[in-house]
Amino acid sequence: MSCWQDFDWVTLAMMPMFLFSTTFFPLGVYPRWLQVFVECTPLYQGIEIVRGLMLGTVEPALIGRAAYLAVVGAVGLGIASRRLGRLLLS
């Protein structure tokens, strides 16, 4: 991203992730290729954690989902800090 208008690309990537994240429709209504994509998104993992806690279905899979979110967050933080470091030092 070289300028603030490039944040439109972020919105373009976030919109399908939000629409298909099983907030509005269950995962089973989507074709299998889209199910696989949705299951890889961090928003779906977060929704599944909240849904499991709210419905009382606390199971070991929630720890895996939380670990996935932690790894994705750490990778994003690493990328952002490296970019900011380069920007501030140049």
Side-chain angles (χ1 to χ4, degrees):
M1 287 193 233
S2 59
C3 61
W4 64 271
Q5 287 96 347
D6 290 340
F7 282 107
D8 289 342
W9 293 107
V10 174
T11 304
L12 185 65
M14 291 290 293
M15 186 60 69
M17 189 168 64
F18 175 71
L19 290 174
F20 295 122
S21 66
T22 70
T23 304
F24 303 112
F25 297 104
L27 191 61
V29 300
Y30 302 129
R32 184 64 193 149
W33 65 270
L34 189 55
Q35 288 178 7
V36 171
F37 172 75
V38 168
E39 289 170 351
C40 294
T41 60
L43 184 58
Y44 172 76
Q45 302 298 328
I47 288 172
E48 286 298 309
I49 290 172
V50 171
R51 186 176 288 146
L53 293 174
M54 291 299 294
L55 295 176
T57 56
V58 179
E59 52 192 22
L62 293 181
I63 296 171
R65 293 181 191 282
Y68 174 82
L69 286 177
V71 168
V72 169
V75 168
L77 185 63
I79 292 170
S81 65
R82 205 173 54 216
R83 280 192 61 153
L84 280 173
R86 274 190 278 143
L87 267 170
L88 293 174
L89 293 175
S90 63

